[in-house]
Each structure stands twice: as structure tokens, then as C-alpha cells.
Amino acid sequence: MTDHCAARVPVEKIKFRRRASATLAIIGNPNSGKSTLFNRLTGLRQTTGNYPGVTVEKHAGTVQLESTAIELVDLPGIYCLGGYSADERIAVDVILGRIADTPAPGGLLVVLDATHLYQGLYLLQQLMEMQVPMIVALTMTDVATANGIDISIDVLKKHLGGIPIFPVATTTGRGLDALKAALAGVVDSPPPQMPESWPELSQAADRLIEQMDTPVPRIDVIQALLHPDSVHLEILEQQLGKPRIAEARFTLFADEPPQAVEARRRYRWVRDVLGEALQQAPILERFEAKALRWLNLPWPATLLFFTVMALVFQAVFSWATPLMDGIDALAVGLSGWVSAHLPAGMVSSFITDGVIAGVGSVLVFLPQILILFLFIIILEDSGYLARAAFLMDRVMRSVGLSGQSVIPMLSSFACAVPAIMATRVISDRRARIATILAAPFMTCSARLPIYALLIAAFVPDESVGWMNLQGLVLLGLYMLGILGGLTTAWMLKRTALRGPKPDFALALPEFRWPNLQTVLIKLMDRIYIFLRRAGTVIFTVAIIVWALAFFPRASAIQTDMQTAIVQAESTLSGESLQQQIFQIENEAAAAQLSQSFLGRAGRFVEPVFSPLGWDWRVSAAVIAGFPARGVVVAVMGTIYAVGEKAEEASLVSKLRSATWPDGRLVFTLPMVLGLLLFYAWCLQCTATLAVIRRETNSWRWPIFAWTYMTVLGYTGALLIYQIGSRL
Amino acid sequence: MTLREMQAGQKARIEKVDASQPGVVRLMVLGLIEGAEVLFGNAAIGGDPLEVSVFGSAISIRKQQAGNFRVTPIDSND
């Protein structure tokens, strides 16, 4: 699991790589500059792996020091040790050593944002109660100074039980060397003194521990007292009996929710500490601040959001298309070269139509995914996505979700797989599942080639007002996806996932310039997720579909083809001979496909799809697309005997003139519209199903999603065709 | 008066938080507790959700939730 990164390390460096002597976890509030600090400290010496038995990725990196090396584990940001979302829970579980087969880190590198010490110190005092060695990196000191915030490190240190504090500015690198040098000694340093914020809590915990036969660490008792759903509570109740625990909890919290009492106690202490350690000088509001404030007014902010989205999608289309064409051309050229140098037959077909086409069908999505994710990550790193979640909360609430669902849904316009993984930030379980089931409706990059082909073939290229009709249809298909997704979430939240409205407690970070290194590393991470989770599945599917379309071979067709070519050679020559041979070969390929397993399957299911106006060819292409919709265009190319690498124009003209045996056109307008709707709503992606299974940890949701979306796509296409054909 | 009735640019001190209401605890974890001074920022279109800042950290809060925070306005000329 480390090899993809190790491969980037030059060989001469490996010799000097030292085994990490200790593991530190890097922990802090969201948006505290944690990831940027992690990247600055580890550089590219990072790996992504899995925690055993947990679906969350483990990000680790190595910090090279003079005499040793330290392993740093990056964790999702948290505000408290409560842990509401899946992401937050994993961070808490890692630092508390609750993950099986993964020992607790030897110490903590706590990231405190100098501009948000209020929430940072709230988390820090909970970490101090863990009684593990720790060190504090005070980030954003440059921003704090610019904002007139003066922090007395000595006063802060006095209140923080002797934890070493290192001010850093990740933008300039100031203070990084001192922090780095101090990392080596962390695990051997004594844990900090307990914070003075809430002595009753630790005293209550200590009293309980004294009464236990097999004492547990104090932090486990504290956690059990604060969080009634904690895993430690059961162990405690077994040892001490329920009444004693209940009594201790009542003394501490009375009738209030424990975390409310906790917040009051701890924030009171934070306020006292900050009152001593922090001086806020009055500053003149600078022009940028004024401009940003104006942009946060309701209407400008909403307008800005839609403008940003429009620009992002415009960029995705105009930049990704040439790149996708380039990858396509490369795959075609490579296949052409291979088939020219290998004898025609199974091996040649496997390499060109199976392997090269398979790799191509994965790579062709990369430009769009890359560009869209680049924008999403830039928006995320600059703090804008939280603002977008804030602005869209009202809309999302009307379908039973919250603003938190906006970010995964935006990602699913690139690929649903990383998007579904991004739902881990959603704290409400029901809202998270509803978002997971809505995400596959969004128009992902794999749907575009089919849309492009059918629109180019059957939608006239004319202007409607200032817009182009083809563009309008494409926009309509995007809207159809959004509509389908939101309606699904709304229906689910009223039925199977009925429950209280999801909370929406979200910190809104202020705008900050994105860090290039962080953006690039995050981008590599998403691309890796796509290649690993989606790419491998798409490739495997492409190979299987190739086999289904290739076997069995009818030797009669090959013999007939040879005879026809020999005949052509005796009557024609030059250019017209080449064309004739090309024609004969393509027809033979189509005939082979027609009697292949895939062709037979197409004929077999034709009765099912004929009410939608699809003949066996379309049916076969649709079946081939069920495991991964990306292969559909290539299969259509073969079925319609233009060769799968033919110019799009020749496939378009074939589709336009395709007829039923009785001479009626297959691709009528109602049929095409139905087919487009089918692709918009159908879940034709094994990778998505697999990731739904992983993230919901049940087979129920992927089976439901597949059945539901297939029925929806089928019914929609049926209605459009049947009604449209009668008009 | 509650957080709900505040105007953009107004400052107030939180007097009482009704922690028994669902979702309120999560806002308390972000620092909206008794004694905290809050600055009211901009709302989204339609006046919901609202933006309040406490110690320089902006937090998004839904209007319905804001009703659970009783506040006393502070004269912003202080």
C-alpha cells in the first residue's frame, strides 16, 4: 500500500531513509492549517493506506531529522473528543488507540490556529486529559499579527501545563525548523499537567478508578462519563455497576446534557486564559476585508456562488474536451499500431479492444475529474466551500438534507466514487445515506461521451436565443440529474430515512489564499482514490465486456470474410479496395458480435427493451454498459459495424440510418430522449455500488440504489417513448 | 431577546442557552455558551441560516436554533 509513493522517491534517497523511531498524530480543529503543516513537515514522503477493518484512509508521512525519523499521521479536524461525523470519529479513535491492530500514537502534535485560539484551546484541554506527550504548533501567527492579535506565548504556556509551544507561519516557513527539531524529543517528554479547567471531572474519574478491580486509563473513564454511547461505558458498568456510574454522572451534570456542561466549563476556562494571554489591538479595516464583507451580503454572496459554479463548469468543459480527445486519439493510434504489427485474432483483439480500450476508458475521464477536483480543492482550501454550504443550506433543507451535502454533491459531477467517500463529513447518519444515494444521479464524467454522441447525432445544431440547442439539451440533462438526486433524497428522508432534521453546526472559515502544495497533494489523493476504487473496476469490466463481445467466435463468419476479401482483391485496387476491405472487416466484426454472448444477450432481452423503442443492438450496448457505463460508445461502434475506433461522424450517420427489420427508423426523437433519460438516471457503475457497500457497510443500500435507479430510468424512458411516439 | 432577533453588525452577550433542544449542544461545542460575546454577521438569502462570530470565529446557525440562545444586546459604541 505504500509502493505508489515509494516509487516516487529517488533510489539514492532510499539508502538514507531511516526507520521511523516514533509515531506522532497531528490533530487540530478543521481549517487550522493542519494539512498544510503536515505537508510542510513531510514533503512528498507521504503514503495513503487503510486502517485495518476501517473504511477510512490512513494518511501518514515521514519527517526526516538529523539522527532519526518520525512518522506523522494526519487526521481529520475535530472540535472535541465527542466525534459526530464518521471522519471525526476516526480521528478520535486513532488518538485514543481504539482501532484494532493500530497502537495509539506515541505523542500528539497539536495544531492551534492563532486566529482561532478560542476553539483550539477547547480541544487542547481535552487532549491534555489524555496524559500523553504532546507539543503545540501555533499556526497562522502571521495572519494573527496582521489582524492585530498579540499572543503572549509565556502566559499561554503557563496555563497549558508546560506543553512546548512553537509559533510557525506555514506560508513563509518561519519557525518550522525549530518545530521539526523538537519533534524527536516529544515521545520521551512527560505528559502535560492536567488542565485546571474542570477538576471535578478528573477527580470523579479518579474516584471511580480507585474502586475498580482492573483499573482503566483515566481518559477512558472521562470519555465514558461524558459520552453515554462510549464503548468504555459498558466496561465501566460491568466493573462498578450502573448505579455508581449514574451517581457520578448526576453529580457532574445534573439533568443537563454532559457535553453542554462540558462546553460551559471548558469555554469559561478558555475565556479566562485568553483574557490573560491575548491582546486584540484595534485595527483599521483594510480594503480587502471590506470587499469580502460586502461579498458576504446575502444577494452578492448567492450571485457569486452561481457565478463561481458557472465558471468552474465552463472551465471543465473547455479545458477537458481537448485533453479527452487527445487521450482518445492516443488510444486509437496505439491500437492501430498494435493491430498493424500483430496477426489478426484473439491476442490482437485482446490487446487493442480489451487492454488498450480498457485503460483508455479509465484515462479518458481523468482530465475532467482532475480539473473539477482542482477547482473543488482550491475552493475548499480557500474556505469558500464552507461558505457555499452555508448559502445552500436552505435549499438542501427543503429536501431534508443540510448544507453539508453540497460538497459531496459537487464532487459527484466528476465521479460519484470520491464523492460518496466525501460524505463522511456529514454528521447525521440518515442525511449521509440520503446524500450517498443522491450522488450517483449527478452527471459524472462517464456519462458525457454518451450524451455527446447522442446529442451530436440527433439534436440539431441551431441557436435558440443566445444559446445553442445542443448545449441546452446538455444543460437539461445536468438538471435532470440534479432533480433526480434531490427528489430521491427528499423521498428517502420522508420514508426509509425519516428522522429529525439534520443539525447544521458549521464553522465558517474566513477567506485565505490556498496553499499550492496542499492543493496539489489533495488533488493527487483524489486522483489516487479514483484510479484505485473506480479505475480498477472500470478496467476489469472493460476486459469482461470485451470477452463477452469476442466469444464465441463463429469460424463461418471468418471464412466468409476471407472469401469476400479475396473476391474484392480480384475486382478492385488501390483506395477503393482498401475501403472495401475495411467495410468487409467491419461487417464481419458486427456479425461476430451479433452472435457473441453479448449479442445473444441483447437479442434475449430485446423484448424487455423494445417497449422503449430499443432494438437488440441498443439493448446489447446498454447491457454492456451496466457494469460501467463508459464502455457503451465503444460497443456501439462495433455493433454498428463502423469499427469502434471510427470517426464519430460515421457512427453518427449509422445511428441516424439504423432501422428495424420492417424499415422504421430505430433512433426516433422520443427514443433518443428516452435513452438519454435512461443514462441520466440509471446506476450503471459497479465502482459506485462497491463504494456504497463500503461506506454504508451493508448490501441493502447498494441493492436498493441499483434497483431503484434502474426502475426509474426504465420507467422514464418507457413513458417518454410511448407518449412521444403517439404525439 | 434571542439570537434570532438580532440585526447584522449587532453585538450581544449570551445569557442563557437551552441545551435540552436537539442540536444545541453542537453549537455549544463550537463556543456559543453563556457569557460569550457574539457579533452578528450576514444571513443567507431569506434570512436563514445566520452567521454569528464568537472570539473571531464565524459559525453558521439556523434561525430555528438561534431561538434557543437568549442574549442581551451590547452597545456597539463600547
Side-chain angles (χ1 to χ4, degrees):
Chain A
M1 66 190 177
T2 59
D3 46 14
H4 82 284
C5 267
R8 270 190 271 126
V9 178
V11 183
E12 63 273 14
K13 271 206 175 166
I14 294 174
K15 245 192 297 183
F16 298 106
R17 277 185 96 194
R18 298 174 186 91
R19 271 189 67 82
S21 61
T23 300
L24 296 181
I26 180 164
I27 189 95
N29 291 155
N31 306 304
S32 57
K34 196 171 48 62
S35 295
T36 304
L37 181 66
F38 174 76
N39 294 332
R40 291 294 299 240
L41 288 172
T42 59
L44 286 173
R45 288 181 292 273
Q46 298 186 7
T47 58
T48 308
N50 267 13
Y51 290 110
V54 189
T55 56
V56 176
E57 283 67 34
K58 175 181 177 178
H59 294 271
T62 317
V63 189
Q64 292 289 323
L65 301 167
E66 286 295 315
S67 57
T68 176
I70 300 271
E71 188 194 35
L72 264 191
V73 179
D74 192 17
L75 293 170
I78 55 173
Y79 288 103
C80 65
L81 291 183
Y84 292 100
S85 69
D87 250 356
E88 289 167 343
R89 272 195 299 274
I90 196 80
V92 174
D93 286 348
V94 168
I95 57 171
L96 292 179
R98 284 185 196 151
I99 293 186
D101 304 326
T102 308
L108 301 178
L109 167 55
V110 185
V111 179
L112 283 187
D113 175 349
T115 59
H116 293 110
L117 276 178
Y118 186 58
Q119 287 149 344
L121 290 179
Y122 181 74
L123 173 66
L124 180 62
Q125 55 188 307
Q126 298 173 57
L127 299 173
M128 283 160 75
E129 285 168 0
M130 287 173 59
Q131 292 293 291
V132 295
M134 57 180 72
I135 184 172
V136 164
L138 189 65
T139 56
M140 312 277 174
T141 46
D142 43 349
V143 185
T145 312
N147 289 348
I149 299 172
D150 181 36
I151 299 160
S152 161
I153 304 279
D154 291 332
V155 177
L156 207 53
K157 215 180 248 174
K158 190 187 80 191
H159 288 284
L160 296 186
I163 309 175
I165 302 173
F166 290 87
V168 293
T170 41
T171 42
T172 58
R174 197 170 53 83
L176 276 180
D177 289 336
L179 173 68
K180 234 175 170 175
L183 285 179
V186 172
V187 285
D188 300 319
S189 64
Q193 289 157 26
M194 289 292 278
E196 314 118 37
S197 52
W198 197 3
E200 295 92 335
L201 179 66
S202 44
Q203 284 159 13
D206 286 342
R207 270 198 301 278
L208 288 173
I209 294 169
E210 279 165 25
Q211 299 169 40
M212 292 171 89
D213 301 325
T214 43
V216 297
R218 179 161 51 192
I219 184 66
D220 290 356
V221 180
I222 289 178
Q223 283 284 303
L225 289 171
L226 284 172
H227 308 291
D229 53 348
S230 155
V231 282
H232 301 295
L233 187 62
E234 240 174 88
I235 306 168
L236 231 62
E237 285 179 344
Q238 275 169 13
Q239 285 210 41
L240 297 168
K242 281 189 183 180
R244 254 192 279 190
I245 309 290
E247 192 200 318
R249 300 188 72 197
F250 186 80
T251 319
L252 283 168
F253 315 124
D255 295 328
E256 294 271 15
Q259 291 205 55
V261 179
E262 181 186 22
R264 285 182 184 127
R265 292 300 297 250
R266 295 196 196 278
Y267 272 116
R268 192 181 304 154
W269 177 82
V270 173
R271 264 210 317 274
D272 291 343
V273 172
L274 288 183
E276 271 186 64
L278 193 137
Q279 302 281 322
Q280 170 74 64
I283 46 155
L284 277 177
E285 198 173 28
R286 282 173 305 169
F287 170 74
E288 296 105 290
K290 275 186 192 161
L292 285 176
R293 210 156 50 108
W294 185 82
L295 280 176
N296 278 343
L297 289 173
W299 281 102
T302 308
L303 265 174
L304 181 72
F305 173 72
F306 284 108
T307 313
V308 167
M309 287 302 116
L311 286 176
V312 165
F313 279 96
Q314 184 58 40
V316 167
F317 281 121
S318 50
W319 296 350
T321 315
L323 285 168
M324 289 166 82
D325 291 347
I327 291 173
D328 246 356
L330 208 69
V332 171
L334 198 62
S335 310
W337 186 84
V338 170
S339 37
H341 287 78
L342 279 180
M346 197 182 88
V347 176
S348 161
S349 171
F350 175 73
I351 294 175
T352 57
D353 304 340
V355 178
I356 296 177
V359 172
S361 62
V362 175
L363 291 185
V364 81
F365 304 134
L366 267 186
Q368 210 198 347
I369 290 173
L370 206 96
I371 295 169
L372 190 49
F373 272 129
L374 178 69
F375 281 109
I376 289 177
I377 292 166
I378 289 175
L379 292 177
E380 187 180 25
D381 208 49
S382 64
Y384 189 73
L385 276 192
R387 188 59 61 176
F390 170 75
L391 292 171
M392 289 292 109
D393 179 58
R394 193 96 188 268
V395 179
M396 300 307 280
R397 209 184 318 168
S398 64
V399 296
L401 301 176
S402 82
Q404 279 184 313
S405 299
V406 169
I407 298 164
M409 286 203 185
L410 276 180
S411 307
S412 50
F413 285 104
C415 174
V417 172
I420 287 170
M421 291 165 75
T423 61
R424 288 172 193 158
V425 297
I426 300 174
S427 46
D428 183 275
R429 201 189 65 90
R430 294 186 187 90
R432 183 175 171 211
I433 292 181
T435 310
I436 287 177
L437 293 176
F441 276 95
M442 305 302 149
T443 302
C444 67
S445 46
R447 283 184 175 101
L448 272 187
I450 309 153
Y451 286 177
L453 174 72
L454 291 176
I455 288 175
F458 300 104
V459 178
D461 187 8
E462 36 186 73
S463 303
V464 183
W466 52 274
M467 280 199 76
N468 177 285
L469 187 59
Q470 293 187 333
L472 218 57
V473 171
L474 186 63
L475 186 69
L477 287 165
Y478 268 82
M479 293 301 154
L480 209 60
I482 297 172
L483 181 78
L486 291 184
T487 312
T488 301
W490 178 77
M491 287 195 310
L492 283 169
K493 284 290 293 167
R494 296 195 151 232
T495 52
L497 297 170
R498 189 203 293 271
K501 277 188 185 162
D503 296 334
F504 186 54
L506 183 75
L508 297 170
E510 42 288 331
F511 177 82
R512 96 178 32 133
W513 290 106
N515 176 288
L516 183 67
Q517 193 188 23
T518 307
V519 168
L520 290 181
I521 286 176
K522 278 188 183 172
L523 186 61
M524 294 304 296
D525 200 53
R526 308 268 169 115
I527 297 302
Y528 171 64
I529 288 177
F530 166 76
L531 288 179
R532 191 179 130 154
R533 298 260 167 248
T536 48
V537 175
I538 296 172
F539 177 75
T540 314
V541 161
I543 298 291
I544 293 171
V545 168
W546 168 81
L548 289 178
F550 189 83
F551 297 108
R553 299 305 272 178
S555 50
I557 296 174
Q558 292 308 107
T559 327
D560 287 354
M561 182 183 83
Q562 296 302 340
T563 323
I565 290 177
V566 170
Q567 215 166 33
E569 278 167 344
S570 62
T571 53
L572 296 164
S573 66
E575 184 73 4
S576 52
L577 174 64
Q578 287 305 318
Q579 268 182 8
Q580 186 64 23
I581 290 178
F582 185 63
Q583 180 67 23
I584 292 168
E585 281 174 351
N586 282 339
E587 270 161 19
Q592 288 285 14
L593 183 77
S594 157
Q595 58 81 52
S596 71
F597 291 122
L598 186 62
R600 289 176 207 190
R603 287 178 201 285
F604 182 73
V605 299
E606 195 192 83
V608 178
F609 289 125
S610 60
L612 280 60
W614 304 354
D615 65 355
W616 73 268
R617 292 185 178 89
V618 181
S619 304
V622 167
I623 291 176
F626 262 101
R629 52 172 79 88
V631 302
V632 167
V633 173
V635 172
M636 278 198 166
T638 309
I639 292 185
Y640 285 98
V642 289
E644 60 184 282
K645 291 136 209 132
E647 292 289 314
E648 196 180 86
S650 54
L651 180 54
V652 163
S653 67
K654 273 281 180 180
L655 294 184
R656 280 185 185 148
S657 56
T659 55
W660 290 90
D662 60 7
R664 285 179 298 126
L665 283 177
V666 175
F667 287 83
T668 60
L669 189 62
M671 179 272 186
V672 171
L673 291 180
L675 189 59
L676 282 171
L677 179 107
F678 185 82
Y679 277 117
W681 280 355
C682 218
L683 210 180
Q684 295 182 308
C685 182
T686 318
T688 302
L689 291 171
V691 84
I692 295 179
R693 156 81 187 84
R694 257 166 56 90
E695 296 292 321
T696 61
N697 201 20
S698 96
W699 283 105
R700 198 158 67 110
W701 292 115
I703 291 172
F704 170 78
W706 187 87
T707 317
Y708 166 73
M709 289 179 74
T710 306
V711 168
L712 206 62
Y714 183 91
T715 316
L718 180 73
L719 287 178
I720 290 183
Y721 179 71
Q722 291 298 338
I723 296 170
S725 307
R726 279 169 177 75
L727 289 177
Chain B
M1 177 175 183
T2 67
L3 264 187
R4 218 186 142 105
E5 286 91 41
M6 282 175 66
Q7 305 291 319
Q10 237 186 342
K11 275 187 190 166
R13 181 177 294 108
I14 300 180
E15 298 296 342
K16 184 76 197 115
V17 184
D18 184 357
S20 62
Q21 296 298 315
V24 171
V25 168
R26 297 202 43 204
L27 293 159
M28 295 176 78
V29 165
L30 290 177
L32 294 179
I33 49 138
E34 286 88 351
E37 276 184 26
V38 292
L39 169 67
F40 211 74
N42 293 302
I45 284 188
D48 191 15
L50 321 162
E51 181 192 332
V52 288
S53 295
V54 53
F55 260 100
S57 301
I59 295 163
S60 160
I61 171 171
R62 283 181 177 168
K63 203 162 186 174
Q64 184 235 333
Q65 289 284 18
N68 297 316
F69 294 80
R70 216 174 62 220
V71 296
T72 325
I74 304 171
D75 197 355
S76 42
N77 295 329
D78 285 358

